[in-house]
């Protein structure tokens, strides 16, 4: 759905950074995507292949590091990955958590020549 | 050679959202981003809000839909400034679309801007618009398990309107289970059970809104 516009955004950032580094080629883009975002890796790859065609990023390898959703209990501080519909803390039993991971959506690094 | 980037991919959108916020603050406008699935009652809630507040508060509306002006036409009948954004396929409003809408409003003459996002329980929560408040509606027929399936939307929202409570006798919606699910993830959320059809519960929502307006 909106993978096209976010892939364009991602490509723009990568090209900017490559320009800053005075690189002639981008060989890899390393992405970090949290489980809770609605981004589908295959769609990003598909749009990337299309959008990067005439740029120094064409044929760059995309890597996707997926971060699972993690929450932390506000009462006892225990961190865990909630299972289906059970979000109560397995340590103290309270239902009061904050999300600490799973919402990431950034470029970690690029590899250039 | 590896070049460290550590840049959020939605940075460009966030920057425009921040600009929108500054524009709104300069004009003294409180803007609220209203999200929900299609048919949960966003437009109905906006119409109820207009009916009860338009003599006291200067309200304008931004309507986001993939196509049609149906919602903007309904709002327009209330003689309220309304801008319809047709996204032409995009499943959510982004900061750029909202920025264009702000350009066509006289913000100096507005106290409250209600932004009705595209009906979608997934994507709108991920794209900042520059609004001061994020809220969502869930309607009784959608079921009480939605917080588990769409956690981002439920954690991003400061207010949840639980609409269509007039249908509770006909459906298996467990309000306590729903409250537990939502407040477990978002303890400070305010939940307003309402029926936009019968008017039940709307006063509590209006009171909250009025206190937010006073607080600016």
């Amino acid at each position: 759905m909106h993978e096209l516009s976010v892939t364009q955004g991602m490509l723009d950032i990568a090209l900017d950074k490559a320009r800053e580094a005075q690189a002639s080629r981008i060989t890899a883009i390393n992405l970090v995507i949290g489980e809770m975002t609605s981004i589908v890796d295959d769609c990003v790859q598909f749009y990337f292949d299309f959008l990067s065609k005439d740029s120094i990023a064409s044929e760059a390898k995309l890597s996707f590091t997926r971060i699972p959703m993690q929450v932390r209990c506000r009462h006892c501080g225990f961190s865990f990955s909630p299972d289906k519909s059970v979000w109560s803390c397995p340590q103290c039993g309270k239902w009061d958590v904050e999300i600490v991971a799973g919402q990431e959506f950034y470029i970690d690094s690029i590899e250039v020549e | 050679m590896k070049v460290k980037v550590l840049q959020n991919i939605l940075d460009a959108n966030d920057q425009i959202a921040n600009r929108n916020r500054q524009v709104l603050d300069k004009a003294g406008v409180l803007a609220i981003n209203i999200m929900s699935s299609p048919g949960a009652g966003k437009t109905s809630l906006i119409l109820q809000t207009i009916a009860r507040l338009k003599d006291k508060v200067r309200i304008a509306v931004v309507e986001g839909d993939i196509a049609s002006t149906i919602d903007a036409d309904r709002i327009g009948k209330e003689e309220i400034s309304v801008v319809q954004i047709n996204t032409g396929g995009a499943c959510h409003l982004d900061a750029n679309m909202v920025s264009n809408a702000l350009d066509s409003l006289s913000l100096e003459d507005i106290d409250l801007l209600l932004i009705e996002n595209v009906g979608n329980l997934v994507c709108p929560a991920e794209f900042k618009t520059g609004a001061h408040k994020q809220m969502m509606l869930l309607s009784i027929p959608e079921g009480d398990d939605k917080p588990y399936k769409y956690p981002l939307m439920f954690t991003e929202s400061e207010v949840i309107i639980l609409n269509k409570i007039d249908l509770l006798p006909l459906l298996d919606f467990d309000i306590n289970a729903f409250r537990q699910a939502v407040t477990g993830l978002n303890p400070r959320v305010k939940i307003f059970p309402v029926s936009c059809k019968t008017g039940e519960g709307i006063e509590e929502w209006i009171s909250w809104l009025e206190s937010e307006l006073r607080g600016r």
Side-chain angles (χ1 to χ4, degrees):
Chain A
M1 278 195 293
H2 48 87
E3 273 81 354
L4 178 61
S5 60
V6 301
T7 304
Q8 182 68 66
M10 182 257 283
L11 177 59
D12 290 344
I13 292 171
L15 290 173
D16 248 353
K17 289 293 170 184
R19 245 188 310 273
E20 267 173 39
Q22 294 176 319
S24 58
R25 180 122 233 106
I26 300 175
T27 56
I29 303 178
N30 302 315
L31 301 164
V32 175
I33 305 185
E35 188 187 346
M36 285 176 76
T37 68
S38 58
I39 301 297
V40 177
D41 303 0
D42 288 350
C43 290
V44 174
Q45 182 71 65
F46 175 79
Y47 286 122
F48 180 78
D49 293 343
F50 171 72
L51 292 169
S52 66
K53 242 195 310 224
D54 298 317
S55 75
I56 62 168
S58 83
E59 293 181 38
K61 184 173 177 301
L62 298 184
S63 79
F64 300 87
T65 301
R66 276 280 174 186
I67 308 286
M69 180 181 172
Q70 255 219 321
V71 300
R72 181 171 57 225
C73 176
R74 287 190 178 95
H75 282 263
C76 70
F78 185 68
S79 286
F80 61 100
S81 288
D83 174 48
K84 294 185 199 147
S85 53
V86 182
W87 286 2
S88 56
C89 176
Q91 186 143 283
C92 72
K94 295 271 190 206
W95 287 75
D96 190 2
V97 298
E98 59 180 343
I99 298 174
V100 293
Q103 296 177 285
E104 301 79 0
F105 188 30
Y106 63 90
I107 302 179
D108 181 74
S109 60
I110 59 173
E111 283 168 51
V112 301
E113 285 165 3
Chain B
M1 172 177 87
K2 191 177 240 185
V3 176
K4 206 73 178 159
V5 175
L6 293 175
Q7 189 166 338
N8 278 324
I9 293 167
L10 295 178
D11 253 9
N13 185 73
D14 289 355
Q15 278 166 33
I16 301 174
N18 289 338
R19 270 212 307 276
N20 291 344
R21 176 73 67 91
Q22 282 164 20
V23 165
L24 291 161
D25 284 340
K26 189 154 173 266
V29 180
L30 173 66
I32 307 184
N33 180 17
I34 305 174
M35 305 175 283
S36 81
S37 301
K42 296 184 289 300
T43 313
S44 299
L45 182 77
I46 290 173
L47 288 167
Q48 280 278 354
T49 306
I50 290 170
R52 288 168 199 241
L53 282 181
K54 75 172 176 186
D55 295 332
K56 296 191 249 181
V57 177
R58 299 171 302 172
I59 303 173
V61 177
V62 171
E63 280 291 337
D65 286 293
I66 291 181
S68 102
T69 58
I70 293 173
D71 288 348
D73 292 344
R74 288 172 73 193
I75 308 283
K77 288 200 175 83
E78 303 301 318
E79 289 169 356
I80 294 281
S81 288
V82 55
V83 177
Q84 175 81 60
I85 301 174
N86 280 140
T87 70
C91 49
H92 59 273
L93 292 181
D94 63 22
N96 194 39
M97 295 171 192
V98 171
S99 174
N100 291 336
L102 296 185
D103 287 342
S104 21
L105 289 165
S106 313
L107 296 176
E108 298 300 325
D109 302 326
I110 299 167
D111 303 311
L112 176 66
L113 182 65
L114 301 173
I115 301 172
E116 181 177 339
N117 216 310
V118 179
N120 178 349
L121 215 45
V122 183
C123 319
E126 297 198 54
F127 293 84
K128 294 196 173 94
T129 57
H132 299 92
K133 306 264 169 200
Q134 307 261 81
M135 65 178 280
M136 66 166 295
L137 284 86
L138 183 82
S139 66
I140 298 298
E142 293 173 75
D144 53 37
D145 60 350
K146 292 302 168 293
Y148 299 114
K149 297 186 175 193
Y150 302 91
L152 190 63
M153 177 66 73
F154 286 86
T155 39
E156 286 288 310
S157 297
E158 189 176 331
V159 167
I160 299 176
I161 302 280
L162 190 58
N163 191 24
K164 308 191 187 179
I165 57 172
D166 50 302
L167 295 178
L168 276 169
L170 301 170
L171 297 161
D172 296 327
F173 190 101
D174 184 341
I175 289 204
N176 288 333
F178 173 74
R179 276 188 190 275
Q180 186 169 46
V182 179
T183 54
L185 201 65
N186 186 355
R188 278 157 282 277
V189 76
K190 284 168 200 55
I191 301 175
F192 295 108
V194 308
S195 165
C196 288
K197 189 171 168 68
T198 66
E200 186 183 349
I202 297 287
E203 272 315 311
E204 284 78 3
W205 150 247
I206 297 293
S207 294
W208 179 84
L209 196 47
E210 284 183 301
S211 75
E212 290 299 312
L213 284 162
R214 274 194 302 272
R216 289 187 64 68

